Amino acid sequence: MMVLSITDQHKPKCYLCQEMFDNMEALRKHQETTHKDFIEYHRKKHDYSPAPGDVTLF
Ligand SMILES: [Zn+2]
């Protein structure tokens, strides 16, 4: 099971501020800066999925 094809289907959107990005990398960087505290909190909570790249599935 792969979940890496999200960027080809639609632009990823930040579920925290509803801002859209060209790709998952841009979204990831946005969240790791703008929402740093929130992302780190969820990383510890969901330590089985260290990458915040699948946030659009929340
Ligand atoms: Zn955001």
Side-chain angles (χ1 to χ4, degrees):
M1 277 281 267
M2 300 288 282
V3 289
L4 300 176
S5 59
I6 297 171
T7 47
D8 291 330
Q9 293 164 13
H10 56 80
K11 288 187 177 183
K13 186 168 74 174
C14 178
Y15 64 97
L16 292 169
C17 64
Q18 307 302 305
E19 189 173 341
M20 293 186 75
F21 296 88
D22 289 336
N23 52 63
M24 292 303 292
E25 182 67 10
L27 172 61
R28 188 180 65 82
K29 284 181 177 174
H30 159 79
Q31 291 185 327
E32 286 189 347
T33 53
T34 306
H35 310 296
K36 189 172 183 290
D37 291 343
F38 186 89
I39 295 301
E40 286 183 353
Y41 170 78
H42 275 271
R43 252 186 199 156
K44 289 167 187 169
K45 212 174 161 189
H46 303 281
D47 55 358
Y48 55 85
S49 61
D54 58 349
V55 288
T56 53
L57 302 178
F58 275 29

